[in-house]
Amino acid sequence: MKKEELKAQLYDEIAKCNRCGFCLAVCPVYAAVGKEWATPRGKNALIRAIIEGKIDWTPEIEESLYRCTGCRLCTQTCFPAVETNQGVLAGRECLVEKRLYPQVIDRVVEAIENNFNISNEPNINRTMWMETMEGVPENRFQKEKAEVIYFTGCVASFYPMAHKIPQNLVRIFHRAHVDFTLLGGEEWCCGFPLIQAGMKEKMKTLKEHNEKMVQKVGAKTIVFACPSCYHTWREMYQTDAEPLHSTQFIERLIAEGKIIFQDGRERIVTYHDPCDLGRNSKVFDPPRNILKKIPGVKLVELENNRQLSMCCGGGGDLEMIDPDLSSAIAKRKIEEIQKTGAEEVVTACQQCIRTISGYARKNKIKLKVRDITEVVLEAMSA
Amino acid sequence: MIRTEKLISKMKEIVGEAHLIRDSDRLKTLRIDGKRPKVLVYPGDTEEVSRIVAYAFDHTLAIIPMGNGTKIEVGNPPEKVDILLSTQRLNRITDCDCDNLTLTAESGITLKEVQKRLAQEGRGYFIPLDPPFTEKATLGGIIATNSSGPRRYMYGTARDLVIGMKAVFPNGDIVVSGGKTVKNVSGYDLSKLLIGSYGTLGVICEMTFKLLPIPEKEVTVLIPFIRLEDGDAFVQEIIDSQLLPSSIDTLNRPAMERLKPPVSLTEETRYLVAIGLDGVMEGIEREISELRERGKKYQSLDPLILYSQEHQSFWSALRDFSETLKRQRILFLSFKSNFLISKGGEVMKRYEKIMSQTGIESALIWRSGNGILYSYLFPGRSLKSKMESMIELIRQLTSEAIKNEGNMMVESAPTILKKKISVWGEMRPEYQVMRRLKEEIDPRGIFSPGRFIGGI
Amino acid sequence: MNRDQMIEELSKIVGKENVLFSETDLLLYGYDASLFKAKPDCIVLPNSTEEVSQIVKFAHREKIPIVARGSGTNLSGGTIPARGGIVIHFSRMNRVLEIDIKNQRAVVEPGVFTLTLKNQLARYGYVYQPDPASERVSTFGGNFGENSGGPHCLKYGVTTNHVLGAEIVLPDGEIIWVGGKALDHPGYDLTGLLVGSEGTLGIATKLVLRIVPKPEAVKTMLAIYNSLEDAGRTVSAIIAEGIVPATLEMLDRLTIKAVEESIHAGFPLDAEAVLLIEIDGLKDGMERLAERIIEICKENRAREVKAARTEEERAQLWAGRKGAFGAVARLRPNYLVCDGTVPRTKLPEVLTRVMEVGKKYNLPIANVFHAGDGNLHPLILFDERNEEELKKVHLAGSEILKICAEAGGTISGEHGIGTEKKKEMFFVFTPKDISAMRKVKRAFDPEDLFNPGKVLPEVQT
């Protein structure tokens, strides 16, 4: 993106920032870094200075703009609701044009360009999560036509730690007699990592391909367990199929009597709102409604919940760009979780699980972190 | 001598013949720690104060400002006194804006007179200050000495109530700070600096106070205890509760006896917790019954409730404790100790012990919600022979207060003793800044020289 | 000394990663929430009093100016490095050191957010009373420097009434304690002098705060008016009646509109003004007091008075007040907040004159302020990018302060003088007053190194 375009798109938005600094209280990056360049206010100031020609792009600006989880808590708590993250993403587009961006991004871009996934493996391996699963049907959950498409997402497809999510979700679908299919090797990355990288224009092919595939299956509904895929789809894609997050879909299945819970273990559970699901897509109640229906579960809220939920540290490619910073943010999240006294934290995002449990494991903190699909399946089987 | 003559003629020129005293017999009665002033002047307005001070500045003459002199004895013996400046004629209320809850008045008017006027305004108002010397204390004196009373527990002290000030600085400049708005952050808060500066930085000529409406009802609850530990535990519970007393004072037996409360206390009462309640009818009823109940938990004896006149006279007797002693010509020493709020009971106990070891009777009044203890010692006539033990006693008491993050100042003592001790307690490193302030503001050291902390 | 040497020296004290000096960083520490900007030479982030002292000693030796900064929410240019030099950012010194319930004190480092402490106190049933609108992010160091206010200061007083002591690094790097946990330390009230001195006399590295048990009961009411003057008269009438509510806040039509568009606090859109009135204390007698307040409102032509019945309703009303500044910011990109304060009896006439200034300069003005304190906050709305408008805004702001001063008030109630209002100091002070203040400055900072160029205007001697 060129400076002129940046100005046309964002000058009015950024100009609304009065530098009141209220965002400093909530920004997870500032909490961890403690320097003005980390603040949403600072990021707005930098973009503004660029637009006004007062400074030029520098490695320091790159460092600042590439350290944002996209959690948008700043906007949520900003009086004039300045969309700082839009500025950040547009700024990254400009930085990319200047070839000023974290090297590590090239690896992901290359992976996506070569293999249509972030893992740089042959895309046919998208179903490799079935390898450790019993009772996989011969069609490997793929049909030509189905009511529902389950869009697995790159992380759940390729990272063993997250394999449980698709495994559990297809079991739930199976038990609830959902007519669904996967796109398998024809599922391409949704483009979210490219948007975050500042290379939005590169997602065009991905989007066209995915839209065409969905069209072909003729599904009415497309289900995502990944909040970022879901959010990207809602924001960027145009298809006839209704995009739903798995929690929304499961909530419907419960209402239709297709999911019935057996008795469960008495326990205290807290729920972490993934940023892309909660604040950024406004899906707050379905996961809570599901948990409240599960026998034995007592749901306690985190101090900051729903619209005010604190990021886990894994948003906006941050884990890839600056793992230490991501960890520092996860630490605060874990402290907040521990304060509730809950024995397990449930969430609805593979990235949140990865960041939270990754930090807990590395630092030998005993904490049960589970995806909601796992909790649902367990309660169905109990 | 020529200099004195010149001084007096200059003073006459400024204030007029009728408003100064130069008669040496009269001036003798005004000696401060034995130092006799050369002249006592009564300026009639701030302008005159300014001219007097400017003259003193030009000729490096020592000035001690004074109201009615109720606290003039506090401090080190002055190095020098040339001019004693009385504010008695600065006695006007310049702006009584009850609708704005503020009052501006000159420094020489007595608090009592101001309160009388305020009580008659509209629905009735007051300045929430209740310092000692009820009859005589002037506004300027109260502020210059940061004098306060039992009700500071609810209402705070001068630093919370004075919002504006006009003062004459040592170079003769009339300086204004603050104003008549309750919030004000324009410029440095010079009022804070002058509050409690004991006439070492200039003459306070006029000040503006926050007012409050006279409470609907006022009551006193006297709760007697046999053991100090019980009284202390009771007090700590009240402080930690949501009840809102206006004052909490604890007295030991000798203090009670000298105070002669308007009600009789049983023989077994060793300590008396006096709680003042201000507020609305319903609240006070509730607080009385809660205090009664909570007292029982700590083995209190039967509480006594004082209303209207009895209530008023109890507190004025308590406030004017030292004044009464003075009137009765009883020789006493008095100290003011400060410390952590929660340590009051402990400190009081230690003080009783230390003092009983010296065999001197001591009355103690503990401002229990504020961590302040006033000690009154009655050494009898033979003070001279006890000098060494007095110095040692003061040392011990001071170190006890310091141990609890406080300090101790000697408010009242014979000059001969004051010369041998540190009247203002132990000096801390912040003293260096105080000294620099004094040097900047009063570079020739003409205001109350030597009287303040560290000889400022 | 050249900058490289300076950076090297400072790095020895705090570590390389805690010294910032890139052009980007210099830009980022050149602003605060005011309309003023400047440029430091470098930024340091210390982690202890000792480090602060060493930084200051170094700066003192080399005659480099120092500005201390917390969250940079200052509205008067108080935290901009007007003469360059070193900015000390306190984000790393953000520990609550002690909550001492028995002695009713808390000890904090300067970088602690106000609300962070309050949230911790809530567990003990205790409160720290001052509540600046920015409490979520305002730091105690900043509150100390500015003598911050807030709605509840009507009844409970401002920051200075709640700070009882502090550890201070003086301009020569020496560390001293002023005041402390106990009250009435002998000597001058240095704490009182330092609070509100805008970082020009000393830097607080630890603060001792007064904390008190939370009031037993609270009641919140909303009075609705068809005229701004009536609302102003009600404020005067309540105060004159001798009632001191915990808060007495006013919002005018433009603000109400903005608030309702963004927050839906339940303020009626056709009202000219609303008053948000809160009383607290013992539960006994509170109903009667509330009824009396409602009567006074009605006597002054309030068309309706509502009382919050639940905690949710109360929170809703406060959300409207607390979100007002921001909501107004949706109307135009920027706002200038004036902070003039007047005797409360003058409110109705001053409000009228303030609105006339808006008309004169053709700038929209929204009012949302601490009416009970007489502390106005007219928000002049504009677009900072329009230079013509920016000029007009400064003129209008100054004119409003003149009006306040003429009404017997002052030019700042809680936001400070900073860079912004130096020349307006002469609206309320004479050159003699200023030179007396200058003496205080000299006593602390003879070389003018701490936040130079702030608060005191130049005077001819």
Side-chain angles (χ1 to χ4, degrees):
Chain A
M1 189 184 281
K2 298 262 188 271
K3 206 164 89 180
E4 296 67 39
E5 222 179 312
L6 185 69
K7 182 173 179 178
Q9 278 185 24
L10 284 151
Y11 198 22
D12 284 345
E13 185 63 27
I14 300 290
K16 290 193 301 188
C17 172
N18 277 279
R19 301 174 295 279
C20 76
F22 280 32
C23 51
L24 273 67
V26 298
C27 175
V29 179
Y30 178 63
V33 172
K35 292 168 183 158
E36 185 72 16
W37 63 254
T39 67
R41 171 175 70 183
K43 287 164 186 161
N44 288 327
L46 292 177
I47 304 255
R48 180 170 181 157
I50 288 280
I51 290 175
E52 290 175 351
K54 291 188 177 133
I55 47 170
D56 208 351
W57 299 104
T58 61
E60 287 81 19
I61 299 182
E62 176 207 321
E63 184 180 14
S64 166
L65 296 188
Y66 275 96
R67 270 140 198 90
C68 168
T69 67
C71 78
R72 287 183 66 257
L73 187 54
C74 53
T75 305
Q76 181 65 42
T77 47
C78 170
F79 287 139
V82 176
E83 284 287 359
T84 303
N85 188 241
Q86 280 181 15
V88 164
L89 294 180
R92 289 180 187 176
E93 287 187 51
C94 297
L95 285 162
V96 166
E97 181 139 328
K98 302 265 165 197
R99 304 214 49 79
L100 272 170
Y101 59 90
Q103 299 261 303
V104 55
I105 285 176
D106 281 336
R107 280 217 310 269
V108 183
V109 175
E110 194 190 312
I112 293 173
E113 282 180 338
N114 292 342
N115 286 306
F116 314 115
N117 64 58
I118 60 170
S119 179
N120 215 5
E121 289 178 56
N123 204 34
I124 197 74
N125 289 355
R126 264 206 192 261
T127 57
M128 70 186 217
W129 50 269
M130 295 175 202
E131 304 307 320
T132 53
M133 191 180 169
E134 278 171 28
V136 177
E138 223 161 282
N139 70 1
R140 296 177 78 80
F141 304 110
Q142 288 162 66
K143 312 193 263 194
E144 274 187 22
K145 295 279 172 195
E147 291 270 303
V148 174
I149 292 171
Y150 168 32
F151 194 94
T152 333
C154 297
V155 176
S157 302
F158 293 101
Y159 294 85
M161 212 180 128
H163 282 172
K164 271 203 283 190
I165 295 173
Q167 290 173 359
N168 291 332
L169 193 56
V170 297
R171 282 197 187 108
I172 293 169
F173 286 168
H174 180 70
R175 294 236 210 142
H177 307 291
V178 176
D179 172 25
F180 78 100
T181 181
L182 309 177
L183 297 177
E186 293 303 329
E187 177 187 312
W188 289 5
C189 170
C190 70
F192 175 83
L194 295 172
I195 300 174
Q196 297 303 312
M199 303 175 183
K200 199 165 76 189
E201 82 290 352
K202 286 195 201 297
M203 73 173 277
K204 196 162 168 262
T205 26
L206 305 176
K207 177 173 172 269
E208 282 168 6
H209 171 83
N210 284 331
E211 281 173 350
K212 203 168 79 199
M213 286 301 127
V214 170
Q215 196 72 22
K216 212 166 117 190
V217 173
K220 286 199 198 114
T221 310
I222 172 160
V223 175
F224 304 84
C226 169
S228 299
C229 295
Y230 168 63
H231 180 64
T232 305
W233 201 280
R234 275 182 34 146
E235 296 287 312
M236 314 292 290
Y237 282 63
Q238 290 89 34
T239 52
D240 296 335
E242 179 192 21
L244 285 181
H245 185 256
S246 54
T247 52
Q248 294 171 306
F249 191 69
I250 290 171
E251 192 190 21
R252 283 191 195 175
L253 295 176
I254 295 171
E256 290 163 7
K258 291 179 180 161
I259 289 181
I260 294 158
F261 294 124
Q262 316 292 323
D263 276 347
R265 203 161 41 81
E266 293 279 331
R267 63 204 202 270
I268 298 170
V269 166
T270 188
Y271 175 72
H272 161 67
D273 287 283
C275 304
D276 275 333
L277 184 63
R279 192 161 37 245
N280 297 343
S281 302
K282 308 221 168 0
V283 178
F284 299 108
D285 289 318
R288 288 178 170 78
N289 293 342
I290 295 168
L291 289 171
K292 282 179 198 157
K293 288 245 162 58
I294 295 179
V297 166
K298 184 173 177 265
L299 180 67
V300 293
E301 291 288 357
L302 290 163
E303 191 179 329
N304 302 291
N305 56 62
R306 301 176 76 99
Q307 295 281 15
L308 300 178
S309 169
M310 271 178 9
C311 180
C312 67
D317 290 358
L318 188 69
E319 200 208 349
M320 171 177 85
I321 293 165
D322 191 341
D324 290 343
L325 176 56
S326 173
S327 265
I329 298 173
K331 178 170 181 271
R332 286 178 73 230
K333 184 81 229 180
I334 287 177
E335 283 162 5
E336 192 195 19
I337 293 166
Q338 287 174 324
K339 264 195 231 159
T340 63
E343 53 200 284
E344 73 184 62
V345 53
V346 175
T347 187
C349 169
Q350 74 293 329
Q351 184 59 43
C352 296
I353 293 179
R354 195 177 138 91
T355 344
I356 299 171
S357 59
Y359 182 88
R361 203 177 46 247
K362 258 184 258 156
N363 294 281
K364 305 200 167 45
I365 297 166
K366 226 184 114 204
L367 184 68
K368 212 170 182 184
V369 192
R370 303 170 84 195
D371 189 80
I372 194 158
T373 47
E374 183 183 342
V375 178
V376 166
L377 184 69
E378 178 190 79
M380 289 167 79
S381 325
Chain B
M1 263 352 254
I2 292 165
R3 235 182 107 178
T4 307
E5 282 314 310
K6 260 183 83 180
L7 161 67
I8 286 164
S9 78
K10 184 70 192 176
M11 291 300 114
K12 270 186 194 163
E13 188 191 313
I14 298 171
V15 299
E17 179 125 34
H19 302 301
L20 63 79
I21 288 171
R22 57 169 308 188
D23 172 62
S24 61
D25 286 340
R26 286 284 304 280
L27 292 173
K28 217 184 254 177
T29 65
L30 294 164
R31 280 180 307 193
I32 299 169
D33 288 314
K35 289 243 164 37
R36 192 176 69 188
K38 295 196 173 85
V39 62
L40 166 62
V41 288
Y42 296 91
D45 58 28
T46 304
E47 204 50 53
E48 287 182 10
V49 175
S50 163
R51 288 170 62 199
I52 294 166
V53 173
Y55 181 82
F57 181 78
D58 288 344
H59 299 84
T60 320
L61 298 168
I63 300 191
I64 296 186
M66 153 178 124
N68 279 331
T70 61
K71 287 202 148 196
I72 199 72
E73 63 175 323
V74 181
N76 302 319
E79 284 164 11
K80 179 170 164 221
V81 193
D82 295 313
I83 304 167
L84 195 56
L85 188 152
S86 166
T87 57
Q88 275 177 19
R89 288 175 67 223
L90 300 171
N91 59 357
R92 288 155 288 236
I93 292 175
T94 42
D95 177 37
C96 180
D97 192 353
C98 291
D99 285 354
N100 183 45
L101 292 181
T102 58
L103 171 125
T104 307
E106 291 181 325
S107 49
I109 193 168
T110 62
L111 176 63
K112 188 175 176 178
E113 199 176 328
V114 173
Q115 303 288 40
K116 207 168 103 192
R117 159 85 183 269
L118 287 171
Q120 290 157 0
E121 292 283 328
R123 43 105 52 242
Y125 300 87
F126 75 122
I127 296 175
L129 271 174
D130 59 340
F133 306 98
T134 310
E135 298 293 321
K136 284 164 75 185
T138 61
L139 295 184
I142 294 165
I143 300 313
T145 61
N146 193 15
S147 191
S148 62
R151 288 219 268 187
R152 66 177 289 173
Y153 181 60
M154 175 179 267
Y155 300 109
T157 55
R159 78 193 298 281
D160 305 298
L161 300 166
V162 173
I163 55 175
M165 206 179 266
K166 187 192 278 181
V168 172
F169 268 47
N171 61 356
D173 277 2
I174 299 170
V175 171
V176 168
S177 75
K180 60 177 283 192
T181 57
V182 289
K183 262 187 188 166
N184 193 335
V185 295
S186 311
Y188 295 146
D189 195 348
L190 297 180
S191 310
K192 294 278 192 298
L193 184 57
L194 289 160
I195 292 169
S197 63
Y198 283 87
T200 57
L201 296 176
V203 187
I204 299 170
C205 294
E206 193 178 289
M207 62 233 98
T208 304
F209 291 89
K210 285 205 228 179
L211 301 180
L212 281 176
I214 292 175
E216 209 170 277
K217 194 170 175 179
E218 294 176 30
V219 167
T220 303
V221 184
L222 300 179
I223 305 154
F225 290 89
I226 298 170
R227 285 161 22 100
L228 179 56
E229 290 76 5
D230 292 327
D232 182 24
F234 167 74
V235 161
Q236 302 303 338
E237 175 170 326
I238 299 307
I239 292 168
D240 187 47
S241 75
Q242 288 174 316
L243 299 179
L244 297 168
S246 55
S247 44
I248 310 176
D249 273 21
T250 304
L251 290 69
N252 71 353
R253 183 87 203 181
M256 277 167 355
E257 280 167 3
R258 290 187 181 267
L259 184 71
K260 300 194 183 66
V263 286
S264 58
L265 292 160
T266 55
E267 258 317 293
E268 52 190 333
T269 300
R270 306 315 300 173
Y271 298 92
L272 184 68
V273 178
I275 297 190
L277 300 171
D278 296 3
V280 296
M281 241 83 88
E282 299 92 324
I284 285 182
E285 289 309 315
R286 207 297 269 333
E287 287 185 290
I288 293 174
S289 71
E290 266 204 45
L291 289 174
R292 218 186 266 280
E293 284 312 306
R294 289 177 190 243
K296 273 189 210 151
K297 265 170 56 187
Y298 300 98
Q299 289 78 45
S300 80
L301 304 172
D302 285 342
L304 298 162
I305 319 292
L306 309 183
Y307 295 95
S308 54
Q309 202 46 52
E310 272 183 359
H311 156 85
Q312 296 297 353
S313 53
F314 174 82
W315 291 107
S316 59
L318 183 63
R319 283 198 302 268
D320 295 340
F321 195 80
S322 62
E323 195 185 1
T324 311
L325 297 173
K326 275 184 191 161
R327 236 190 352 255
Q328 297 166 348
R329 298 186 174 280
I330 296 171
L331 177 65
F332 71 96
L333 277 65
S334 72
F335 313 139
K336 176 185 174 186
S337 311
N338 65 330
F339 39 78
L340 297 172
I341 296 176
S342 69
K343 298 291 188 176
E346 247 170 73
V347 173
M348 189 153 168
K349 197 169 176 89
R350 285 287 301 155
Y351 271 36
E352 283 188 332
K353 195 164 168 216
I354 294 168
M355 294 194 204
S356 77
Q357 279 165 356
T358 56
I360 296 173
E361 187 203 346
S362 59
L364 301 178
I365 300 175
W366 167 31
R367 203 126 292 159
S368 316
N370 303 98
I372 306 286
L373 181 68
Y374 293 95
S375 319
Y376 300 87
L377 269 72
F378 306 97
R381 290 179 172 271
S382 52
L383 180 66
K384 261 191 184 153
S385 64
K386 292 178 188 156
M387 203 60 82
E388 287 311 312
S389 67
M390 277 297 152
I391 293 168
E392 173 57 18
L393 176 76
I394 289 168
R395 196 195 58 75
Q396 282 186 38
L397 298 178
T398 306
S399 92
E400 195 58 37
I402 290 170
K403 222 165 63 192
N404 292 293
E405 300 190 26
N407 212 334
M408 187 177 94
M409 66 175 279
V410 174
E411 285 203 318
S412 176
T415 308
I416 169 171
L417 179 58
K418 284 208 280 183
K419 283 181 175 164
K420 295 186 173 176
I421 55 164
S422 168
V423 170
W424 301 94
E426 192 191 66
M427 285 208 293
R428 308 197 303 177
E430 63 176 318
Y431 160 74
Q432 294 305 330
V433 179
M434 295 180 192
R435 191 180 46 75
R436 289 209 293 269
L437 277 164
K438 168 74 175 178
E439 284 167 4
E440 278 294 338
I441 293 171
D442 183 12
R444 298 188 184 169
I446 60 169
F447 267 89
S448 308
R451 300 213 74 194
F452 204 38
I453 183 166
I456 280 174
Chain C
M1 166 172 270
N2 73 34
R3 215 170 61 134
D4 291 347
Q5 273 174 292
M6 169 157 78
I7 288 153
E8 198 187 311
E9 289 296 323
L10 292 169
S11 299
K12 279 188 211 153
I13 301 170
V14 294
K16 223 174 151 180
E17 67 284 7
N18 293 308
V19 182
L20 308 175
F21 51 85
S22 75
E23 277 304 306
T24 312
D25 286 310
L26 303 186
L27 179 121
L28 288 167
Y29 285 88
Y31 58 71
D32 57 17
S34 71
L35 298 174
F36 295 84
K37 289 178 185 67
K39 193 173 167 187
D41 292 308
C42 73
I43 301 97
V44 204
L45 295 97
N47 195 28
S48 68
T49 303
E50 197 37 55
E51 286 182 4
V52 176
S53 164
Q54 284 183 41
I55 294 163
V56 173
K57 276 183 183 152
F58 163 74
H60 184 249
R61 201 168 57 233
E62 303 295 334
K63 309 288 168 251
I64 302 166
I66 287 200
V67 182
R69 173 187 170 106
S71 292
T73 62
N74 188 278
L75 290 160
S76 58
T79 34
I80 64 155
R83 300 204 185 139
I86 300 168
V87 168
I88 299 185
H89 184 190
F90 275 110
S91 63
R92 294 172 70 215
M93 288 176 69
N94 62 351
R95 290 157 284 230
V96 173
L97 298 173
E98 194 186 352
I99 291 178
D100 180 358
I101 295 295
K102 268 168 63 186
N103 291 305
Q104 307 200 330
R105 303 287 182 262
V107 185
V108 298
E109 289 188 324
V112 172
F113 296 154
T114 314
L115 199 58
T116 304
L117 174 71
K118 285 185 165 188
N119 288 339
Q120 294 191 20
L121 290 175
R123 282 180 232 146
Y124 302 91
Y126 269 66
V127 287
Y128 167 77
Q129 288 292 3
D131 55 345
S134 55
E135 64 180 358
R136 210 164 67 184
V137 65
S138 79
T139 61
F140 280 100
N143 296 343
F144 178 91
E146 298 300 315
N147 191 11
S148 309
H152 281 80
C153 295
L154 171 56
K155 179 169 176 183
Y156 293 102
V158 290
T159 300
T160 193
N161 306 109
H162 300 269
V163 175
L164 301 172
E167 181 188 69
I168 301 288
V169 174
L170 294 170
D172 61 1
E174 200 196 331
I175 304 165
I176 59 163
W177 265 95
V178 299
K181 280 187 178 178
L183 302 171
D184 290 14
H185 282 286
Y188 300 135
D189 181 5
L190 298 182
T191 315
L193 190 59
L194 282 157
V195 174
S197 63
E198 306 194 22
T200 60
L201 304 180
I203 296 175
T205 44
K206 288 190 185 81
L207 298 100
V208 180
L209 311 170
R210 182 204 307 276
I211 56 173
V212 292
K214 182 176 163 235
E216 182 177 73
V218 55
K219 193 163 181 70
T220 310
M221 289 160 278
L222 181 77
I224 301 158
Y225 293 87
N226 288 332
S227 114
L228 191 62
E229 286 73 23
D230 287 341
R233 265 192 284 276
T234 305
V235 173
S236 306
I238 289 175
I239 299 294
E241 174 87 4
I243 298 171
V244 183
T247 67
L248 190 41
E249 300 283 302
M250 197 193 293
L251 290 78
D252 73 355
R253 184 191 184 89
L254 193 54
T255 315
I256 294 168
K257 182 169 165 278
V259 166
E260 281 309 303
E261 277 170 12
S262 62
I263 303 164
H264 315 298
F267 301 158
L269 278 170
D270 59 341
E272 282 297 326
V274 296
L275 287 179
L276 187 58
I277 309 166
E278 189 162 285
I279 48 177
D280 69 7
L282 290 178
K283 59 182 188 291
D284 318 78
M286 189 164 275
E287 281 308 316
R288 184 160 60 87
L289 187 59
E291 277 161 28
R292 182 63 199 128
I293 290 174
I294 293 173
E295 260 174 51
I296 297 172
C297 294
K298 296 224 162 123
E299 282 160 20
N300 287 281
R301 311 203 305 173
R303 72 171 203 223
E304 194 190 344
V305 189
K306 298 197 276 195
R309 282 157 304 184
T310 60
E311 187 49 39
E312 285 73 43
E313 282 184 12
R314 173 175 180 254
Q316 186 82 1
L317 292 177
W318 273 110
R321 166 61 185 90
K322 289 188 177 158
F325 268 39
V328 166
R330 293 180 187 212
L331 303 175
R332 296 294 314 275
N334 306 102
Y335 54 81
L336 176 77
V337 200
C338 304
D339 186 34
T341 306
V342 296
R344 297 166 274 208
T345 38
K346 303 285 185 183
L347 269 182
E349 80 178 63
V350 171
L351 276 173
T352 309
R353 291 187 63 192
V354 165
M355 295 317 275
E356 280 162 12
V357 172
K359 280 192 203 111
K360 175 176 161 191
Y361 288 96
N362 194 24
L363 289 164
I365 293 184
N367 284 289
V368 43
F369 62 101
H370 314 305
D373 291 325
N375 188 185
L376 300 166
H377 284 335
L379 297 160
I380 312 175
L381 309 181
F382 69 110
D383 188 335
E384 206 179 340
R385 296 170 295 179
N386 179 335
E387 274 181 37
E388 217 25 60
E389 239 178 45
L390 184 60
K391 258 187 230 150
K392 282 200 314 189
V393 163
H394 282 298
L395 289 174
S398 186
E399 210 165 307
I400 287 172
L401 297 184
K402 183 99 202 169
I403 291 168
C404 294
E406 281 167 7
T410 192
I411 56 171
S412 183
E414 57 184 15
H415 296 167
I417 302 303
T419 313
E420 186 191 35
K421 294 187 275 280
K422 265 166 62 179
K423 65 176 191 303
E424 284 81 5
M425 283 285 272
F426 290 117
F427 292 175
V428 281
F429 293 119
T430 65
K432 283 182 179 173
D433 302 334
I434 304 292
S435 26
M437 293 180 195
R438 181 77 65 192
K439 289 181 179 133
V440 170
K441 170 73 171 170
R442 267 205 306 271
F444 278 88
D445 184 15
E447 280 147 309
D448 198 15
L449 296 175
F450 271 14
N451 209 0
K454 305 293 171 68
V455 188
L456 302 180
E458 299 305 323
V459 281
Q460 307 292 328
T461 41

